[in-house]
Amino acid sequence: MVWVNAIVQGVLLGGLYALFAAGLSLMFGVMRFVNLAHGDFIVTAAYLMLALVTGFGIHPAFAVLFVLMALASAGYLNQRILLNRVLGADLLPPVLVTFGLSIIIQNALLEVFSADSRRLNAGWLDTASFRLSEDISIGALPLLMFVAAVGVIAAMQFIFYRTALGRMLRATSDDPEIVPLMGGNNAHIFAIATLIASVVVGIAGIFLAMKTNFDPAAGPARLLFAFEAVIIGGLGSLWGTLLGGVILGVAQTIGAQIDAGYQILAGHLVFLAILVARPRGLLPKM
Amino acid sequence: MTVTTPTMPAQRTNRIALALRLLLGLVTVALALAPVWAGRADLRLLMEVLSFLALAQMWNLLAGYSGLISIGQQAFVGLGGYLFFALAMFAGVPLLAALPLAALLTALVALPTGWIAFRLQGAYFAIGTWVIAEVFRLSAAQIGALGGGSGISLPVDLARSLAESRGAREVVMYYIAFALGLVSVLLVWMLLRSRWGLALTAIRDSEPAAEAVGVATRKVKFLIYVLTAGVTGLVGGFIFLQKLRITPEAAFSINDWTAFVIFIVVIGGIGTIEGPIIGVIVFFALREVAADWGTWYLIGMGAIAIAVMLIDKRGIWGAVKARYGLSILPVGRVLDAAPPAKPD
Amino acid sequence: MTTLLETRALEAFYGDFQALFGVDVTVGEGETVALIGANGAGKSTFLRAITGLLPAKGQKVSFDGQEIAGLPADRIHKAGLAMVPEGRRLFPSLTVEENLLIGASGGRKGPWSLAKVYDLFPDLVAKKNNPGTALSGGQQQMVAIGRALMSNPRLLLCDEISLGLAPKVIKDIYEAVPRIREGGTSILVVEQDVGQAMAVASRVYCFMEGRVTLSGPPGELTRAEIAAAYFGTKTDEEAA
Ligand SMILES: Nc1ncnc2c1ncn2[C@@H]1O[C@H](COP(=O)(O)OP(=O)(O)OP(=O)(O)O)[C@@H](O)[C@H]1O
Ligand SMILES: [Mg+2]
């Protein structure tokens, strides 16, 4: 029974990992860009939420709105001002610029918030749970996280495949060079993609703040989880990313069930095993 | 991109190159004699400088020439360190033999990790190498015999086997560091002057073009990956011999063994042999001045790395070289005109 | 006839390589003009320069009374200049209909709509939900033309729309030209097939090595003149 419970909790945890990963997946899909500071942006959103709610005493609903708006505008501007300059065939500039950003963000957070690990008190969400059987109960927060992940991915899927914006994003992904001949502005389209990804990063950060303890150095691990979910799921497939998150979550909770020290390691090992067996992921699109 | 023509008369360029070469020779001699003139603290600093020079040369060979941007080289530093400790402490291998043996084993481990990492392309390759390094770190923390999460120290009597007195030990260690620094530069230099050099410069300049003329780019890159892993493991073994204590956090630190190394290469000039030499000088000069600034020091480094990418991604030496056609350690060919060849 | 497009001494570069040397071309309102020339003559480069895909900063390109040189390509597109690029360049992950719709992203009003394009190329109706790249070459070319028309351009630029197609298909596609013109769109076609160019155009420009070597109405140009302008002076040698 403990194993069934581990799997159930792992699936729910996978929702959080899918939220970590969805933005990364989107940015790679549209502009073949990998942001190594992705995890640090998630942690920044978590700190922002924490500061607004506990520091300034703002109502959580407004805080959520504010975090998402702040992330959206920061994402758009970051792409327009900085990241667009380093897009291109040469891999080194984007890798180094985002790696540099990662170091800057971690140390800036350290400067502002100290190295103490923090967590956002989610009130009744933390304690409420649904009892499925003797040994298995589902916490309200993990359930909400999973529902949010499904909702976010469904929304991204809708934008991508059912709207004019999504059409433009897919066209840009195919052949950015001639998009201007359709009246599209690449710099703007890329920034819109980053804006959407950043909103998802904001949502992920808010859940991270409530779910676990975090500290300024928590970003890189989040980047790795996000990356693993994307690769397990298969590049370019958003539902694949959800599946990848779930597999990673289950691997981790089962690992933790064996020995607390194995949680993260088990996730990495399952990822490497899938990379060996299915290099293109489980639901590849590209 | 515009083709930059040397703006200085060739004669003057040659004279400057000669002067720089002379300077490099003098510095090498001075370094060879460092135990004579340097105090204990200076000697320790120089050991660190030389270790970083070797790590930087390896990362440059990997990223600058083979286009493999790894952010997981700490995997091999840590592995080299742990293997060295394990060989010396549990297998009874003499210290000076344990170092190369640890390097060899590290290179062997790089075969399967490379096999896995090479399934990923570009930036995803970078993150993949990082995952592998994390696997090593988390595994090391699980191995009780090696001290688990709290690490392990090299017993004093083992360290004594290097030399009886502390002073003599430091001299021995210094010469190991000196050899590592020197050999790393010479290794890259000779590699580039060999038939491999053509393949590597072709890959650096344009991978599709290199492939089109028959360079087996994948094979070349894989071998470079394994080679750099081995040398990086050697340096790792030495670093922890010097520290006498190893922990998973220190051994597999991405900041110490990869971020700083990347900074050195990028600021000095990626894809040049001279770049890491200049970068290591800049890095340690900066550290002497700013290390006390704490987080601001690291923020500054991140900002400088970004600035280099935005202003001139060729770094200091790359920009100088493009502008003046200077080369201190010539690899014996005009890069852009070289017909790439297939290594056997 | 009022002038729609006019370039003055247009130059274009790929890095240090100069591909165009002072090209003067005009297209009048309602005209169909053809550019001919051998491989590498600079025809596509000319189109890329006027559409803004290649930087043309500080040069003289006037379009519809407006100076467009140096504007970003999407702004030039919105001013009413649409191009069917060389090699069609359909978006592989978009369906035929999506490929057409994306052409209308600029938001220009005018006679062209999905229904009109399907009316012009009825073959596409049955394929509208297929991926653009799953079509025959001729149908792909129709999508590419339709996509450009969806922006209701004042001037339509077509780069080698007959390349690699069967004569029957080429004929079908060129039959669309008069109907496009009826909608008030002027046309500039790049053609390697001189006969086709002479048949469709009211004026022809011949390019060679980045320069205009000959221009005029087809009726006033002799075969020898064209051969000379096309291949250079040593016509006998080149023809061999
Ligand atoms: N992207 C590029 N980079 C460098 N040179 C280019 C590029 N594209 C074209 N050229 C060069 O510019 C010149 C003109 O090429 P362009 O494509 O305009 O010729 P074209 O007349 O369209 O030929 P074709 O009939 O083969 O399409 C040629 O010498 C070509 O090699
Ligand atoms: Mg052409």
Side-chain angles (χ1 to χ4, degrees), chain C residues 201-220:
Chain C
S202 53
R203 259 172 344 104
V204 182
Y205 287 87
C206 187
F207 277 46
M208 190 177 65
E209 289 168 3
R211 295 183 169 83
V212 174
T213 44
L214 183 71
S215 64
E220 296 173 13

Side-chain angles (χ1 to χ4, degrees), chain C residues 44 86 159-160:
Chain C
S44 300
E86 191 169 17
D159 199 347
E160 307 213 20

Side-chain angles (χ1 to χ4, degrees), chain C residues 39-40 42-45 86 159-160 190 192:
Chain C
N39 283 329
K43 308 176 298 290
S44 300
T45 303
E86 191 169 17
D159 199 347
E160 307 213 20
V190 165
Q192 281 211 15

Side-chain angles (χ1 to χ4, degrees), chain A residues 7-181:
Chain A
I7 291 173
V8 171
Q9 305 308 332
V11 170
L12 297 178
L13 181 62
L16 183 62
Y17 292 168
L19 285 174
F20 290 167
L24 199 68
S25 186
L26 175 74
M27 283 177 70
F28 184 78
V30 174
M31 49 197 150
R32 307 290 176 277
F33 185 82
V34 177
N35 178 6
L36 293 186
H38 184 76
D40 305 297
F41 283 116
I42 294 174
V43 173
T44 305
Y47 271 112
L48 193 55
M49 183 73 187
L50 183 82
L52 289 174
V53 174
T54 59
F56 296 95
I58 292 173
H59 187 277
F62 289 116
V64 167
L65 214 63
F66 184 85
V67 169
L68 298 189
M69 275 172 13
L71 264 283
S73 24
Y76 185 91
L77 291 176
N78 186 28
Q79 189 70 43
R80 275 307 286 248
I81 294 170
L82 180 61
L83 302 184
N84 274 341
R85 288 167 196 258
V86 290
L87 285 178
D90 187 358
L91 209 70
L92 186 74
V95 167
L96 277 182
V97 164
T98 57
F99 197 52
L101 269 183
S102 164
I103 289 171
I104 291 175
I105 293 172
Q106 284 178 50
N107 285 286
L109 290 175
L110 195 61
E111 189 68 31
V112 179
F113 294 101
S114 85
D116 298 343
S117 112
R118 308 287 292 271
R119 181 163 173 204
L120 178 64
N121 186 339
W124 64 270
L125 260 180
D126 276 338
T127 46
S129 67
F130 309 93
R131 216 181 169 87
L132 294 189
S133 78
E134 271 302 287
D135 323 86
I136 303 174
S137 65
I138 291 182
L141 182 61
L143 185 66
L144 183 65
M145 251 159 35
F146 190 81
V147 172
V150 174
V152 162
I153 286 182
M156 286 170 77
Q157 196 80 7
F158 178 81
I159 293 176
F160 224 55
Y161 290 99
R162 295 271 177 277
T163 66
L165 171 64
R167 200 157 61 216
M168 197 52 113
L169 290 171
R170 278 181 293 142
T172 309
S173 164
D174 282 350
D175 193 349
E177 201 196 341
I178 63 157
V179 158
L181 294 179

